[in-house]
Amino acid sequence: MIAELGHYLLVLALAMALVQAVVPLIGAARGDAALMAAGRGAAMAQMLAIGAAFACLTVAFVTSDFSVLLVASNSHTAKPLLYKITGVWGNHEGSLLLWALILSLYGGAVALFGRNLPPTLRARVLSVQGMIAIGFLLFMLLTSNPFERLMPPPAEGRDLNPLLQDPGLAFHPPFLYLGYVGFSIAFAFAIAALIEGRVDAAWARWVRPWTLAAWVFLTIGIALGSWWAYYELGWGGWWFWDPVENASLMPWMAGTALLHSAIVVEKRDTLKSWTILLAILTFSLSLLGTFIVRSGVITSVHAFASDPTRGVFVLVFMCVVVGGGLALYAWRAPALKPGGLFAPVSRESGLVVNNLLLAALAATVLIGTLYPLFLDAFAGTKVTVGPPFFDATVVPLAVPLLIVAGMGPSLAWKRGDLGAVLQRLRFAMVAALLAAAAGFAIGGFGVDGALGALGMMLGVWLVAASLTDIGERVWSRRGGGGRGGAWRRARGLPRSAWGTAIAHCGVGILVLGITGASIWQSERTVTLAPGDRAEIGGRTLEFRGVTQQPGPNYRSTMADLRLITGGSTVDGAMIGGRVVGKLAPEIRYYPTQGTTTTEAAIRTNGVTDVYVALAGAEPVDGKWSFRLYHNPLTPWIWGGALVMAAGGMVSLSDRRLRVGAPRRARNPAPGTVPAE
């Protein structure tokens, strides 16, 4: 009965989405307040219906109802409860339901918290959200029904993909979808603005918090996916330029450009047309990621489906959304009035350069991702575009981007003084040069040393420049007042300014982590018998033995290694020393699916990682194989991502950027649109 109820709720949600898409749009065209208000009710009803359907599917997974095909294909009675719940979205059909749920939550949030929006704009935004929901609900009901029955039900399920039975992958998809789907709000605002023919500072103020929230969620989602790949796949890396990884990175880059472009619209009433285009392209790239994951055109550990029928549906839907949005843009964008002028050296110019470089980065990744697919489809030739291509093309664009990002916040609006900015940032430049010297000292004067010095210089430059900008504002000589005055100015600074500085510091920390992991990583493969020792990156590991451990739905082969400091070398063998840590890498065998996973052991001090993975589940001549890695600064990759997300959340807490701000005045100011 639970499956039939869930299916009925999806049909009901589709009906509500149709009402949400059509009725408020007609009401906005006619100026009918009652019809426009109907969009809010339909959005709330759709949210409740999809939420209830999602709850039904969750109950089916938790209770192991194998009469539901999706549960039988992706669950098992012995699976831990956490993975029974996350199994809801650890598959194609369930992940689509999660996508639809998040889309409805965003629509419901606009209906609830967008009361200060002009009624016509809110109605059109909800209408566009309803149209998107129609596409995904039809996709589910016609090709990917999560409530399809299986009769007779099997006695046991086929279990979830073992790679997905991990805490990192439990939370990675929800955060990723909160980011992907969140950009649909920016898209809806852009389409609504094109229909109305009006883009102004108020529009930018309304669209920024939604875009910022989506950007924060997507940042966390990408970081969780990267962390999972690092410790779960056992290859010692954190990013491989996999097509599905790229599919999440492209909308993040475009969304970052959109955030900065919207600032210019809000502050200077310019870049309107470009900002609208970015909003359309950002969500288009999110849809492209959906197509890549579900079309079957690529093979990846991240891919959900390989049914070409589903891929064709997503492709058609994507073409309708993207093509329709771009066609409307081509028709209506020329009518948008250009804003004010600005000098070549100004904060506006810095943000324009930022946008162009981010757009170029996204285009580069897009070409590298899609080129092999097009070549295979049209010429039958299979090629691989991997890390060498992306490293060679992305780095030259990222270098000027990071330099400009450090200078941008210190530039004045409309007309800046480059000499004065460089004077203000002199200590940041000195710190960057010292970091470059440290990079050469670590890596020498070869290619690796030069790249390491460049990475260190850019990372420290961005951190130091961000701190300098905040320090200049807080410890302003003109403000006076000593420490008390500095404290008052610090409290008086907008949270968005603090958030920008924190996010830029996070980018700098991330760059430092990438530099260490990419340039100075050391690795080796060793075979050890119990009692043997091996050295990696100046650390000594002693192998104690292997044990077999039972798990809830797997069997584990677990090694016992000890991290040793001190000791001495006698006849080429290391003896003595003090145990400072334990590492327990393992290989898990899942009998239901007959597959294994690698669980790496990582010992970190916050600056470097000692990373150990078992290279085989069986010994050879009494010896076990291990892959050993020494990864300097690698923890800073995820630390930097978290700092970036924290910066976004601090900015989002600024009342000026939250939905519902500014407060509604009792007497509307001249030129404002009265509420209906």
Side-chain angles (χ1 to χ4, degrees):
M1 185 63 186
I2 194 77
E4 287 71 25
L5 176 60
H7 186 266
Y8 168 76
L9 288 167
L10 288 182
V11 175
L12 178 61
L14 176 60
M16 292 298 100
L18 287 167
V19 173
Q20 180 183 338
V22 175
V23 175
L25 193 63
I26 296 174
R30 295 179 178 178
D32 189 321
L35 292 180
M36 287 190 285
R40 293 179 57 203
M44 296 300 298
Q46 183 200 154
M47 179 181 69
L48 294 174
I50 296 179
F54 190 85
C56 289
L57 188 61
T58 303
V59 169
F61 267 87
V62 170
T63 59
S64 298
D65 184 358
F66 297 132
S67 67
V68 178
L69 176 61
L70 191 65
V71 179
S73 302
N74 295 277
S75 193
H76 192 278
T77 54
K79 191 168 62 173
L81 179 61
L82 173 63
Y83 303 130
K84 287 184 179 181
I85 295 173
T86 59
V88 175
W89 56 79
N91 54 80
H92 169 72
E93 292 84 356
S95 68
L96 273 178
L97 183 56
L98 177 64
W99 180 293
L101 173 64
I102 293 173
L103 184 66
S104 70
L105 290 173
Y106 274 112
V110 172
L112 282 174
F113 304 116
R115 296 181 180 180
N116 71 319
L117 294 171
T120 54
L121 179 64
R122 181 178 61 195
R124 290 181 171 119
V125 168
L126 289 174
S127 176
V128 175
Q129 284 289 106
M131 294 176 190
I132 298 170
I134 289 172
F136 279 97
L137 289 168
L138 281 175
F139 187 22
M140 269 192 294
L141 291 171
L142 297 179
T143 71
S144 310
N145 182 8
F147 297 103
E148 183 178 347
R149 285 288 192 182
L150 177 63
M151 291 297 175
E156 190 55 87
R158 293 199 290 268
D159 208 354
L160 181 66
N161 182 347
L163 285 174
L164 304 182
Q165 296 187 42
D166 179 86
L169 258 289
F171 301 104
H172 164 63
F175 277 104
L176 205 63
Y177 288 2
L178 283 166
Y180 275 164
V181 183
F183 288 129
S184 69
I185 299 292
F187 174 83
F189 268 98
I191 298 301
L194 287 173
I195 294 173
E196 293 193 352
R198 177 185 174 186
V199 177
D200 54 17
W203 177 89
R205 180 70 60 82
W206 290 319
V207 79
R208 277 181 65 193
W210 299 103
T211 305
L212 183 57
W215 181 88
V216 168
F217 286 129
L218 188 56
T219 300
I220 296 173
I222 293 174
L224 284 173
S226 172
W227 169 241
W228 166 81
Y230 178 64
Y231 69 78
E232 178 70 21
L233 299 183
W235 59 289
W238 57 277
W239 193 265
F240 194 66
W241 295 107
D242 178 277
V244 180
E245 292 176 339
N246 297 347
S248 64
L249 183 61
M250 288 184 288
W252 184 89
M253 290 175 171
T256 304
L258 174 60
L259 273 176
H260 291 83
S261 182
I263 295 174
V264 182
V265 177
E266 179 186 346
K267 301 293 185 182
R268 297 285 300 137
D269 198 33
T270 190
L271 296 187
K272 299 176 184 178
S273 180
W274 171 248
T275 304
I276 291 289
L277 179 60
L278 276 177
I280 295 172
L281 293 179
T282 300
F283 183 57
S284 300
L285 290 171
S286 296
L287 290 179
L288 177 64
T290 303
F291 169 71
I292 288 176
V293 173
R294 290 170 173 81
S295 62
V297 298
I298 57 100
T299 300
S300 167
V301 295
H302 308 81
F304 275 130
S306 58
D307 184 353
T309 303
R310 294 171 174 175
V312 169
F313 190 105
V314 177
L315 181 61
V316 171
F317 176 65
M318 183 175 68
C319 290
V320 170
V321 174
V322 177
L326 292 177
L328 182 61
Y329 174 80
W331 175 39
R332 299 286 289 174
L336 298 177
K337 295 180 180 180
L341 300 177
F342 50 87
V345 178
S346 62
R347 189 176 298 189
E348 294 96 321
S349 293
L351 291 171
V352 167
V353 172
N354 160 290
N355 268 231
L356 293 176
L357 290 171
L358 282 168
L361 281 168
T364 300
V365 176
L366 178 65
I367 292 170
T369 302
L370 296 185
Y371 175 74
L373 306 181
F374 282 119
L375 196 64
D376 186 19
F378 294 107
T381 304
K382 294 188 178 297
V383 298
T384 300
V385 176
F389 166 81
F390 292 106
D391 293 344
T393 54
V394 168
V395 172
L397 292 171
V399 170
L401 174 65
L402 295 172
I403 293 174
V404 173
M407 297 173 58
S410 297
L411 287 167
W413 291 105
K414 194 173 183 180
R415 183 181 298 276
D417 185 340
L418 184 58
V421 170
L422 294 178
Q423 175 69 14
R424 290 178 62 189
L425 297 177
R426 62 189 182 278
F427 295 116
M429 289 188 287
V430 170
L433 291 175
L434 290 175
F440 279 118
I442 295 172
F445 289 92
V447 175
D448 286 348
L451 291 174
L454 177 62
M456 293 287 288
M457 180 182 70
L458 292 172
V460 171
W461 157 253
L462 199 49
V463 172
S466 301
L467 295 178
T468 299
D469 178 60
I470 287 293
E472 285 279 342
R473 298 191 192 193
V474 171
W475 295 97
S476 172
R477 294 179 181 177
R478 291 178 297 177
R483 293 183 179 180
W487 174 245
R488 286 192 300 272
R489 284 189 292 275
R491 293 182 61 187
L493 275 182
R495 292 184 187 176
S496 59
W498 285 105
T500 298
I502 293 170
H504 282 193
C505 284
V507 176
I509 295 169
L510 175 68
V511 170
L512 293 172
I514 292 173
T515 301
S518 304
I519 306 300
W520 297 317
Q521 181 193 64
S522 57
E523 62 177 286
R524 59 183 298 206
T525 300
V526 297
T527 56
L528 302 174
D532 288 347
R533 292 186 176 187
E535 187 271 339
I536 183 73
R539 275 76 168 173
T540 301
L541 291 167
E542 181 180 86
F543 177 43
R544 297 288 182 89
V546 168
T547 59
Q548 303 295 326
Q549 304 284 345
N553 58 333
Y554 61 82
R555 296 193 299 271
S556 171
T557 300
M558 183 179 296
D560 181 7
L561 296 103
R562 304 300 165 96
L563 189 62
I564 309 291
T565 61
S568 58
T569 302
V570 178
D571 296 331
M574 292 176 287
I575 61 173
R578 181 171 62 91
V579 176
V580 295
K582 177 180 178 181
L583 294 98
E586 59 180 308
I587 291 180
R588 294 177 179 175
Y589 174 71
Y590 292 79
T592 302
Q593 293 207 347
T595 57
T596 60
T597 63
T598 300
E599 305 292 325
I602 303 170
R603 177 79 176 185
T604 184
N605 59 10
V607 178
T608 61
D609 284 351
V610 176
Y611 181 109
V612 182
L614 263 172
E618 297 292 337
V620 177
D621 298 329
K623 293 187 175 183
W624 295 80
S625 294
F626 296 90
R627 290 190 295 272
L628 310 180
Y629 299 86
H630 177 244
N631 297 331
L633 302 183
T634 301
W636 292 12
I637 294 174
W638 300 286
L642 291 177
V643 172
M644 289 164 60
M649 288 186 283
V650 170
S651 291
L652 198 58
S653 70
D654 191 326
R655 177 167 179 80
R656 300 176 309 159
L657 299 182
R658 293 205 306 269
V659 178
R663 296 181 187 276
R664 182 179 300 174
R666 292 183 180 180
N667 297 315
T672 59
V673 180
E676 296 181 10

